[in-house]
Amino acid sequence: MTPTHATHAPARSAARKNLRFALHYVEMVVSMLAGMVLLGPVWSWAWPGLAERPAAGALVMAANMTIGMGLWMRIRRHSWRLIAEMSAAMVLPFLALLVPYAMGAISGGALMMGGHLLMLPAMLAAMLWRHRDYRH
């Protein structure tokens, strides 16, 4: 028995949707980097000494990346709800790490690195939660 075209179509369609999902994730990471690179110098100019304040620097960095990602999602015509959910997924890791930082349990570098590292799986979790919105 040879497979027919009909048996291959759903697999191809699912593969295409999964590829779109993955590409959308990559697009958001690139847009975050763009926000960080483009807005970082503005903050350095507007707030001299920001680099010496790890907590403020981490929150500004998270905001820069969130702005870049949010703009890209809006260009892609995502709803404000999805943008708000993704923004929360990006900022919450930094907010959570402010507690151990304030208690002296982690350094400023660990705050910054940890926030960036935790942000990526948090974003993926938000996308998986609303996978239908990110696979189209």
Side-chain angles (χ1 to χ4, degrees):
M1 178 188 231
T2 61
T4 64
H5 177 67
T7 56
H8 289 296
R12 202 172 313 148
S13 177
R16 181 171 286 158
K17 287 180 180 180
N18 290 337
L19 179 61
R20 286 183 183 168
F21 182 90
L23 288 174
H24 189 73
Y25 184 83
V26 170
E27 286 176 5
M28 288 201 300
V29 171
V30 169
S31 66
M32 289 166 35
L33 292 171
M36 187 171 59
V37 169
L38 295 173
L39 295 173
V42 173
W43 282 103
S44 295
W45 173 79
W47 191 345
L50 179 63
E52 287 83 42
R53 299 174 174 263
L59 293 177
V60 166
M61 179 77 65
N64 291 346
M65 291 187 291
T66 301
I67 290 167
M69 177 274 316
L71 286 172
W72 183 249
M73 286 183 74
R74 198 63 198 149
I75 288 168
R76 300 248 331 191
R77 299 180 186 201
H78 284 279
S79 69
W80 288 112
R81 181 196 81 217
L82 287 177
I83 294 169
E85 289 172 0
M86 189 59 65
S87 296
M90 294 173 65
V91 173
L92 286 174
F94 286 97
L95 293 176
L97 290 174
L98 284 176
V99 174
Y101 172 74
M103 295 173 60
I106 63 172
S107 68
L111 167 65
M112 189 67 83
M113 182 64 71
H116 282 89
L117 291 176
L118 292 173
M119 179 189 293
L120 297 172
M123 290 171 55
L124 182 59
M127 288 179 70
L128 289 170
W129 184 37
R130 303 268 190 211
H131 65 91
R132 287 182 188 94
D133 294 309
Y134 292 101
R135 291 179 74 205
H136 72 305

